[in-house]
Amino acid sequence: MKLIIGNKNYSSWSLRAWLSVKQSGLSFEELTVNIYGDDWQAAKRESDDIMPSGKVPILWDDETVVWDSLAILEYLGDKIGRERFWPKDETARGMARSMVSEMHSSYAALRQVCPMNIRKRFEGVIVPEEVRSDIVRILQLWAEARARFGQGGPYLFGTFGAADIFYAPVVSRFLTYGIGVPGFARGYMEAVWEHDWMQQWIAAAEDEEWVIEQYEAAPAQ
Ligand SMILES: N[C@@H](CCC(=O)N[C@@H](CS)C(=O)NCC(=O)O)C(=O)O
């Protein structure tokens, strides 16, 4: 399998797909492309055969192409068995699926105002009200998942799975923008951040030389 991803420092969708492939346990090669670099539009046109959606991430499995991070996770779940990604318990699984879908389809304000930037730390950021609402909603969901289903480990549903994969970029955003969170959330964020695969991704992000200026500015107050 081959996974095409964007800059590790900035591409949150790529992080989700990459963690999904890691979680599948299948071997894969990866190709990192410098999205939003000066030659990005030309690079996209030239790579039309391997990047048919014009966006990353994209997973190639022989002749099969899967684009979109959620489709990649689901494809891998179909291939190796959903237990690697989703809780066994039906009620927990219903909540995990809802949380992943909500992450995939919502939180536009948080995404727009606080883009992922793994290397960066801002101080004294005051986020607008609509971002605050997204943060409150996410913290409520994390609290509920941890309280109801988190007994088996430090992650949202105990062991590392789809929900942690999808919220991993949020963990990074909260750290980058210095978002104050309650103690239980700090513990959860630390568990995600210290996960071996996250540490591999972070190290690679730190080594990258690409800088996307539009994601380096502090959010407007
Ligand atoms: N919903 C898609 C979003 C993919 C996406 O927007 N990728 C961004 C990078 S994080 C991209 O490729 N942007 C480049 C462009 O639009 O030209 C997914 O989950 O994979």
Side-chain angles (χ1 to χ4, degrees), residues 38 59 62 64 66 77 88 94 98 106 109 113-114 128 148 150 164 175:
D38 289 344
L59 180 71
D62 288 328
T64 306
V66 189
K88 275 202 187 63
S98 305
S106 315
V113 176
C114 304
R148 291 177 68 195
D164 308 297
L175 292 172

Side-chain angles (χ1 to χ4, degrees), residues 97-116:
R97 284 199 176 273
S98 305
M99 282 181 69
V100 165
S101 295
E102 186 164 330
M103 182 67 244
H104 203 55
S105 61
S106 315
Y107 312 130
L110 176 67
R111 281 187 179 138
Q112 203 186 339
V113 176
C114 304
M116 191 174 91

Side-chain angles (χ1 to χ4, degrees), residues 12-220:
S12 56
W13 305 102
S14 299
L15 170 57
R16 294 184 180 113
W18 187 86
L19 288 173
S20 300
V21 189
K22 287 288 206 184
Q23 181 75 356
S24 76
L26 299 169
S27 64
F28 69 108
E29 359 163 353
E30 59 185 76
L31 172 67
T32 305
V33 295
N34 179 21
I35 56 170
Y36 305 130
D38 289 344
D39 50 359
W40 172 236
Q41 294 306 330
K44 268 208 293 198
R45 278 193 299 277
E46 278 162 28
S47 313
D48 195 33
D49 49 338
I50 57 163
M51 290 181 25
S53 66
K55 288 186 191 296
V56 289
I58 295 177
L59 180 71
W60 282 94
D61 185 11
D62 288 328
E63 296 301 302
T64 306
V65 58
V66 189
W67 65 97
D68 190 283
S69 53
L70 183 53
I72 291 171
L73 184 147
E74 296 290 16
Y75 176 81
L76 294 166
D78 288 347
K79 204 173 164 82
I80 56 141
R82 73 175 181 207
E83 302 72 27
R84 191 81 71 114
F85 291 98
W86 301 104
K88 275 202 187 63
D89 174 79
E90 201 162 77
T91 309
R93 197 168 60 252
M95 182 172 184
R97 284 199 176 273
S98 305
M99 282 181 69
V100 165
S101 295
E102 186 164 330
M103 182 67 244
H104 203 55
S105 61
S106 315
Y107 312 130
L110 176 67
R111 281 187 179 138
Q112 203 186 339
V113 176
C114 304
M116 191 174 91
N117 185 340
I118 291 207
R119 295 187 293 250
K120 193 94 176 179
R121 293 291 177 272
F122 292 102
E123 277 174 28
V125 172
I126 298 169
V127 293
E129 195 44 46
E130 59 272 23
V131 176
R132 175 69 33 209
S133 303
D134 285 349
I135 292 169
V136 167
R137 171 70 181 157
I138 289 168
L139 289 173
Q140 281 167 348
L141 291 175
W142 286 2
E144 186 181 339
R146 287 286 306 137
R148 291 177 68 195
F149 305 113
Q151 292 75 13
Y155 301 105
L156 290 173
F157 293 85
T159 54
F160 192 75
D164 308 297
I165 289 171
F166 264 64
Y167 283 84
V170 169
V171 169
S172 173
R173 288 178 160 106
F174 284 3
L175 292 172
T176 294
Y177 297 93
I179 306 298
V181 298
F184 89 87
R186 272 203 303 280
Y188 169 63
M189 287 166 58
E190 201 177 307
V192 170
W193 202 250
E194 292 306 321
H195 191 290
D196 277 356
W197 301 332
M198 269 311 276
Q199 284 294 309
Q200 286 173 28
W201 180 276
I202 293 161
E206 278 164 0
D207 282 350
E208 270 176 3
E209 286 173 4
W210 296 314
V211 174
I212 304 179
E213 291 301 342
Q214 71 194 86
Y215 297 148
E216 292 293 325

